[in-house]
Amino acid sequence: MVYITRRERFCAAHKLYNEEWTEDENLSIFGKCSNPNWHGHNYELYVTVKGVPDKQTGFVMNLSVLSKLIEEKILSKIDHKNLNLDVPFLSNIIPSTENLTITIWNELEKEIEKMGGKLHCIKLFETENNFAEYFGK
Amino acid sequence: MVYITRRERFCAAHKLYNEEWTEDENLSIFGKCSNPNWHGHNYELYVTVKGVPDKQTGFVMNLSVLSKLIEEKILSKIDHKNLNLDVPFLSNIIPSTENLTITIWNELEKEIEKMGGKLHCIKLFETENNFAEYFGK
Amino acid sequence: MVYITRRERFCAAHKLYNEEWTEDENLSIFGKCSNPNWHGHNYELYVTVKGVPDKQTGFVMNLSVLSKLIEEKILSKIDHKNLNLDVPFLSNIIPSTENLTITIWNELEKEIEKMGGKLHCIKLFETENNFAEYFGK
Amino acid sequence: MVYITRRERFCAAHKLYNEEWTEDENLSIFGKCSNPNWHGHNYELYVTVKGVPDKQTGFVMNLSVLSKLIEEKILSKIDHKNLNLDVPFLSNIIPSTENLTITIWNELEKEIEKMGGKLHCIKLFETENNFAEYFGK
Amino acid sequence: MVYITRRERFCAAHKLYNEEWTEDENLSIFGKCSNPNWHGHNYELYVTVKGVPDKQTGFVMNLSVLSKLIEEKILSKIDHKNLNLDVPFLSNIIPSTENLTITIWNELEKEIEKMGGKLHCIKLFETENNFAEYFGK
Amino acid sequence: MVYITRRERFCAAHKLYNEEWTEDENLSIFGKCSNPNWHGHNYELYVTVKGVPDKQTGFVMNLSVLSKLIEEKILSKIDHKNLNLDVPFLSNIIPSTENLTITIWNELEKEIEKMGGKLHCIKLFETENNFAEYFGK
């Protein structure tokens, strides 16, 4: 079993904001991340797939195929977007780094399976100091 | 003459959008950077000051003083903000990386002079692939 | 279960030196790391906490709270210090990267539990080429 | 149990090419990586060893010893080489990142055991976007 | 005057080898970089253009246009290629990092001028430890 | 004229401390950098040499020769040392990043000239946030 990882990047706006709370309550919990007029990040996304290398190609999965899949299913929908307003698969979800890893896992797991791969981990950097990882359970 | 540099970071939302143009015209020039609902970045700001090291301290300028100045004059006003909406010194300015370097220079130059320093360069990374530099003229 | 990680940094002096050995014996085992007059590093510390994201906040743990905890319990005691001389929780411990990860785990585990988190991993870079990880057992 | 990691780097040429296929078939599967005249990479290799820190040294394994072992067994044979033509332990193996991690594991596992260490992981970056990991099974 | 920079990357094989010398002479001057069977690198290319930001766009030059130009004139010809064998504009040139910066400058200068830009610097990293810069004279 | 740069790294202990001042005065100016028991850093040193590439080699200067020179004249004297106590060419000099760049320039300039090179810049990172540059005047 070998684990291969593809890094992709996207830039997006968001705010951490619970609509059921007042602006002050949001400020007290989320700090400056609750700024009503948004802020944003350069996200780094690491998608890890596991499997046995194919004898003909040496590949667990063709990373060029994986890259196109991430582009089609994820990046085309969230790059240069507003994560609170523009992304169907994030509607009604607070776009914390944690929730983003779970949501991206859910969007990719079956698509990767169709290509013969097995998703192992979604890792997402919000900044160089903060990141989250999700392994599907 | 020695050049010293302090790196600081901030996260902000923006869009590249000329209000005198239609949405389609903006899209044709600015591409996905014109997304009406914003996007954002982790910016890296490098502030370079030049001078002769002081004999008592070995410092051109105390970088801890410089860091506090950048925090007070720049970061407190743009970190976790919307560069098109929230920042007084950016009003009516398209927040391209180029314009940001000029504006930050203008905010810092005299403040650094008051502390005995001489500003040499503002360098700003928008992403790991794109950055701008301004030397004051 | 999602894993979130906060990176913090500190600068410290140390030497690798067993007081029960002669200077030559130390040199033969620890090489230039045994320099009696010390050397030092820019350390990078990654603290990983695991849990289920809260429904109200989307957070496994507020990383701003985690950052303050690391500052209070670890950084305030080891940043710009001598790891062999200045740090109570390192007394009588050879400050190898391995021992630092175990010691930092022991200082943080219960404090993070008090805040409702579950510590998963301490990862510490001594240089860009050398790092250690500890998972609590 | 603590996990320690040593990073080493090497530069090498390779192509992804199945000799049983035509040039066109190779191009359709491997894309530009099949260029008959080779291309190459700056590889980053991370070797992770696990164990209990020694009481006298604080070390799981002396990283200076590990570094010399990697130099002798791996780097001296693949740095500034052609992975398809020059490396005995890669003969008849398609030099994908996946296969490289397995092959390097096989070269190092017993040598590290002789030094009293237990190999845990081989991680290899081909570019900043692509990497593979192998844990020995 | 503001300076903007676009980073691009490519992977290529090369050797440092003077065809007028024996293999031994090449080895004595170029060391392991003269390996007859090639080696290779992940190159990082930084292209800097200078100018006054446009009032309508805030741009010195549209970096998306610059990126496409670099792709068309440089990357499509050298990415995943052999710098000694495959690249018309490098024929009869020893592909040292120095020579690559001069050659890339010559390929790009007029093309950038046609787009209204003024090339300022070509900077090329061969590894994280080695790079060259050329300013056109 | 092409500019080539070699990066080298070293780890060292130091403190910022003016012996003519009291400990409190040092603390008020140098902050935690004045810790009497030292602290330390992973320094990154960039040495830039300028010249015209040689027709036979494509080199401004052989970077392998430059690397050995930096090792012999600088690294062997400051790596894993105490910059206040152990280094002859730093005696009676406050080891600020600024003073280190000037001192390293003075140690290297003539040595590089003997090898046919022309030193252009010494750049030194103390941390990822702080660096200094010196161009010889």
Side-chain angles (χ1 to χ4, degrees), chain B residues 23-65:
Chain B
E23 197 164 313
D24 275 359
E25 286 171 322
N26 275 289
L27 186 62
S28 78
I29 297 296
F30 292 120
K32 57 190 177 179
C33 296
S34 70
N35 177 38
N37 281 336
W38 321 101
H39 66 284
H41 297 291
N42 301 340
Y43 289 93
E44 284 195 67
L45 171 64
Y46 291 81
V47 177
T48 302
V49 171
K50 63 184 171 188
V52 178
D54 182 89
K55 289 209 173 140
Q56 298 291 305
T57 62
F59 286 168
V60 164
M61 184 178 177
N62 193 323
L63 284 181
S64 156
V65 170

Side-chain angles (χ1 to χ4, degrees), chain C residues 16-93:
Chain C
L16 297 179
Y17 203 90
N18 186 326
E19 298 291 346
E20 295 170 7
W21 299 345
T22 65
E23 197 164 313
D24 275 358
E25 286 171 322
N26 275 288
L27 186 61
S28 79
I29 297 294
F30 293 120
K32 57 189 178 181
C33 296
S34 69
N35 178 37
N37 282 336
W38 322 99
H39 66 284
H41 298 290
N42 301 341
Y43 288 92
E44 284 195 67
L45 171 64
Y46 291 80
V47 177
T48 301
V49 171
K50 62 184 170 188
V52 177
D54 181 89
K55 289 211 173 137
Q56 298 289 305
T57 62
F59 285 169
V60 164
M61 185 179 175
N62 193 322
L63 283 180
S64 156
V65 169
L66 180 58
S67 177
K68 273 177 206 142
L69 192 64
I70 301 170
E71 168 61 32
E72 184 193 340
K73 298 297 174 190
I74 306 293
L75 301 189
S76 68
K77 295 173 182 170
I78 60 179
D79 184 34
H80 284 72
K81 301 290 187 192
N82 184 310
L83 301 181
N84 303 64
L85 301 178
D86 294 339
V87 186
F89 64 76
L90 289 171
S91 68
N92 294 317
I93 289 173

Side-chain angles (χ1 to χ4, degrees), chain C residues 101-128:
Chain C
T101 57
I102 296 173
T103 316
I104 291 171
W105 175 285
N106 291 339
E107 292 301 301
L108 283 179
E109 188 184 19
K110 287 196 181 141
E111 302 296 332
I112 287 172
E113 244 167 49
K114 283 184 207 163
M115 310 308 261
K118 181 97 185 104
L119 182 57
H120 174 69
C121 180
I122 298 296
K123 182 178 184 177
L124 185 67
F125 280 79
E126 189 185 68
T127 71
E128 66 186 73

Side-chain angles (χ1 to χ4, degrees), chain A residues 12-19 23 31-41 43 81-87 93-95, chain B residues 11-15 35-41 77-87:
Chain A
H14 81 152
K15 64 179 169 186
L16 297 180
Y17 203 91
N18 187 325
E19 297 292 344
E23 198 164 312
K32 58 189 177 180
C33 297
S34 70
N35 177 38
N37 282 336
W38 322 99
H39 66 285
H41 297 291
Y43 289 92
K81 302 291 186 191
N82 184 310
L83 302 181
N84 302 64
L85 301 178
D86 293 339
V87 186
I93 290 173
I94 295 176
Chain B
C11 301
H14 81 152
K15 63 179 170 186
N35 177 38
N37 281 336
W38 321 101
H39 66 284
H41 297 291
K77 296 172 182 171
I78 59 178
D79 184 33
H80 283 72
K81 302 290 187 192
N82 184 309
L83 302 181
N84 301 65
L85 301 179
D86 294 339
V87 186

Side-chain angles (χ1 to χ4, degrees), chain A residues 38-107:
Chain A
W38 322 99
H39 66 285
H41 297 291
N42 301 341
Y43 289 92
E44 284 195 67
L45 171 64
Y46 291 79
V47 177
T48 302
V49 171
K50 63 184 170 187
V52 178
D54 181 89
K55 289 212 173 135
Q56 298 290 306
T57 62
F59 285 168
V60 164
M61 185 179 175
N62 193 321
L63 283 180
S64 156
V65 169
L66 180 58
S67 178
K68 273 177 204 139
L69 192 63
I70 301 170
E71 167 61 31
E72 182 194 341
K73 299 296 173 190
I74 306 293
L75 301 190
S76 68
K77 297 173 181 169
I78 59 179
D79 184 32
H80 284 71
K81 302 291 186 191
N82 184 310
L83 302 181
N84 302 64
L85 301 178
D86 293 339
V87 186
F89 63 77
L90 289 171
S91 68
N92 294 316
I93 290 173
I94 295 176
S96 66
T97 319
E98 290 92 322
N99 283 343
L100 290 170
T101 58
I102 296 173
T103 316
I104 292 170
W105 175 284
N106 291 338
E107 293 300 301

Side-chain angles (χ1 to χ4, degrees), chain D residues 7 9 11-13 32-33 35 37-42 79-82 85-86 126-129, chain E residues 7 9 11-13 32-33 35 37-42 79-82 85-86 126-129:
Chain D
R7 182 187 74 139
R9 287 168 291 137
C11 302
K32 58 190 179 180
C33 296
N35 177 37
N37 282 335
W38 320 99
H39 66 284
H41 297 291
N42 301 340
D79 184 33
H80 284 72
K81 301 290 187 192
N82 184 310
L85 301 178
D86 294 338
E126 190 185 69
T127 71
E128 66 186 75
N129 290 336
Chain E
R7 182 187 74 138
R9 290 168 289 137
C11 302
K32 57 188 179 180
C33 297
N35 177 37
N37 281 336
W38 321 101
H39 66 284
H41 298 291
N42 300 340
D79 184 33
H80 284 72
K81 302 289 187 194
N82 184 310
L85 301 178
D86 294 338
E126 189 184 68
T127 70
E128 65 186 75
N129 290 337

Side-chain angles (χ1 to χ4, degrees), chain D residues 95-108:
Chain D
S96 66
T97 319
E98 290 92 323
N99 283 343
L100 290 170
T101 58
I102 296 172
T103 316
I104 292 170
W105 175 285
N106 291 338
E107 293 300 301
L108 284 179

Side-chain angles (χ1 to χ4, degrees), chain F residues 25-53:
Chain F
E25 286 171 322
N26 275 289
L27 185 62
S28 78
I29 296 295
F30 293 120
K32 57 190 177 179
C33 297
S34 70
N35 177 37
N37 281 337
W38 322 100
H39 66 284
H41 298 291
N42 300 340
Y43 288 93
E44 284 195 66
L45 171 65
Y46 291 80
V47 177
T48 302
V49 171
K50 63 184 171 188
V52 178

